[in-house]
Amino acid sequence: MRSPFSRRHLLQGMAAGLSAAALPRLAQAQGAIEPALTPGPPGRPGRHRVDERVAVEVNARPLPSFDIRDRARVRFGALEYRSGLILTSSFSGFGGLSALRLDAKGERFIAVSDQGTWFTGRIVYRGREMTGLDDVEAAPLLGADGKPITATRGWYDSESLALDGSIAYVGLERVNQVLRYDFAKGFTRSRGEVVPLPAAARKLPINKGLEALVFVPKVMPKATPVSQPLAGTLIALSERGLDAGGNLIAFLVGGRTPGQFSVRRTENFDISDAVLLPSGDLLILERKFSWLGGAGIRIRRLALSDIAPGAVVDGPAIFNADLGNEIDNMEGIDAHVTAEGETVLTMISDDNFSLIQRNLLLQFTLVD
């Protein structure tokens, strides 16, 4: 969703879904299929659509602290701030980043822009701190006909991403569709096939529809297939599609128990993304905005075992942030576990291609 949340408001007021080695394997496959690219020129003014694969130079400026009011503060609920970056590029197609997934080391990434674009690359670290992005490439999301979905169908608002090994699922909010890509057939040059969804998904609000996707693997590190009835299920959550009780509509697609459930909506927060932890907990990234109350984000922890057709699930907030923190329109979240055993959450923002918003990449350690 295009949010009214902007850098101007900030000035006034002062993202595991990935199998262990999928991205390294896919990156190697990509290199074998297609030659390396030289950086492309900046795009034409006013055009954010990407029509062909191109290398992108991304500049990064560090965010040494997260709290604008207390620069020394590092603890925020159950999260501890690690590092952050403000990302910019002269390439006009860079921006609108709405979802990302990382490899097991938290280095290689794949993301989608709401303009129907893949972004792939590598996060560069110095110790535990992010310092920049490298090897960044952009490519259009292709339809079954091999052409960009923005060109042939006028589809965009690609807001969500889930991975199941070499299979990628991308949610398109404005048309409430999900496309399935087999990365073994050309990585970002693979063709998307429409995934059948429940009829109720097509009735979601046009700009408040499918916003988050999570794939539950058949075998989880700390759960057996017997204890995991959702194994092999794609969870699709709406941003603000509401049921009769005013709660957020979500769907279980495929798997052994397909159906519809709800996430209890509180304090006017809407869903922007989600990630499944190895523990079996589902973290929901949420945001809200009002002209009187300002903007805010939070993360809620839900038990995957509570999710079933017909259920209304809820869980505690483990993180809250507002205009006194370095936030923007946060739309993507993922998780990885370091060699030291720390669970790291990575969040990314969608700048809506606006001069008064920012592309932020933030990392926190989950300490509780």
Side-chain angles (χ1 to χ4, degrees), residues 29-78:
Q30 177 192 26
I33 294 170
E34 300 177 270
L37 297 177
T38 55
R44 285 173 283 178
R47 278 180 57 90
H48 305 303
R49 195 177 82 190
V50 174
D51 293 320
E52 59 185 358
R53 181 172 166 256
V54 61
V56 179
E57 182 177 352
V58 178
N59 302 309
R61 181 161 64 88
L63 276 173
S65 59
F66 180 66
D67 195 318
I68 296 168
R69 298 156 293 199
D70 181 359
R71 295 294 183 180
R73 182 185 175 196
V74 296
R75 183 66 181 264
F76 305 88

Side-chain angles (χ1 to χ4, degrees), residues 2 5-7 48 96 351-358:
R2 302 188 67 85
F5 183 26
S6 70
R7 176 62 177 163
H48 305 303
D351 69 342
N352 290 317
F353 297 96
S354 168
L355 294 176
I356 56 176
Q357 292 182 254
R358 301 177 297 173

Side-chain angles (χ1 to χ4, degrees), residues 3-316:
S3 169
F5 183 26
S6 70
R7 176 62 177 163
R8 174 170 56 86
H9 301 130
L10 284 172
L11 294 173
Q12 290 173 344
M14 353 198 239
L18 181 60
S19 63
L23 285 180
R25 292 199 308 267
L26 294 172
Q28 293 170 2
Q30 177 192 26
I33 294 170
E34 300 177 270
L37 297 177
T38 55
R44 285 173 283 178
R47 278 180 57 90
H48 305 303
R49 195 177 82 190
V50 174
D51 293 320
E52 59 185 358
R53 181 172 166 256
V54 61
V56 179
E57 182 177 352
V58 178
N59 302 309
R61 181 161 64 88
L63 276 173
S65 59
F66 180 66
D67 195 318
I68 296 168
R69 298 156 293 199
D70 181 359
R71 295 294 183 180
R73 182 185 175 196
V74 296
R75 183 66 181 264
F76 305 88
L79 274 57
E80 184 177 281
Y81 186 62
R82 295 171 70 93
S83 65
L85 299 172
I86 303 173
L87 306 175
T88 59
S89 177
S90 61
F91 178 65
S92 70
F94 182 78
L97 302 171
S98 297
L100 87 161
R101 297 299 180 210
L102 305 171
D103 69 359
K105 294 182 178 180
E107 295 177 355
R108 303 296 308 188
F109 70 85
I110 184 162
V112 290
S113 158
D114 58 19
Q115 293 296 302
T117 305
W118 297 110
F119 282 96
T120 60
R122 177 172 59 89
I123 300 175
V124 181
Y125 292 88
R126 182 184 299 116
R128 58 182 272 156
E129 295 186 0
M130 299 183 295
T131 60
L133 301 185
D134 202 0
D135 304 328
V136 179
E137 293 181 359
L141 288 164
L142 302 181
D145 58 1
K147 298 178 181 179
I149 61 172
T150 53
T152 57
R153 293 205 176 201
W155 284 1
Y156 61 106
D157 248 6
S158 34
E159 295 280 349
S160 50
L161 173 64
L163 297 182
D164 172 27
S166 65
I167 302 300
Y169 297 92
V170 176
L172 307 177
E173 182 190 26
R174 199 161 295 261
V175 293
N176 290 311
Q177 298 271 14
V178 173
L179 295 176
R180 179 185 184 275
Y181 291 87
D182 185 350
F183 280 172
K185 298 179 179 179
F187 196 42
T188 55
R189 295 298 299 169
S190 60
R191 301 182 179 192
E193 300 287 345
V194 173
V195 175
L197 297 177
R202 301 297 299 272
K203 299 178 182 179
L204 291 171
I206 291 177
N207 200 31
K208 296 180 177 65
L210 297 178
E211 187 77 17
L213 294 176
V214 171
F215 189 85
V216 183
K218 293 182 174 61
V219 178
M220 295 184 63
K222 296 184 179 181
T224 66
V226 174
S227 65
Q228 197 51 260
L230 297 184
T233 300
L234 180 67
I235 302 176
L237 303 108
S238 71
E239 178 181 6
R240 201 196 302 170
L242 302 180
D243 64 13
N247 297 310
L248 300 157
I249 294 173
F251 301 95
L252 301 172
V253 181
R256 301 199 300 268
T257 58
Q260 182 175 324
F261 70 100
S262 297
V263 177
R264 191 171 304 283
R265 185 173 190 244
T266 62
E267 300 180 35
N268 295 319
F269 276 97
D270 299 325
I271 293 174
S272 59
D273 202 9
V275 60
L276 182 62
L277 300 180
S279 64
D281 287 335
L282 185 69
L283 298 185
I284 305 291
L285 175 63
E286 299 177 307
R287 63 186 172 189
K288 68 176 178 179
F289 173 83
S290 72
W291 293 108
L292 292 178
I297 65 170
R298 75 177 180 186
I299 296 174
R300 268 194 294 170
R301 188 198 301 262
L302 308 180
L304 191 64
S305 58
D306 289 343
I307 298 176
V312 178
V313 297
D314 197 359

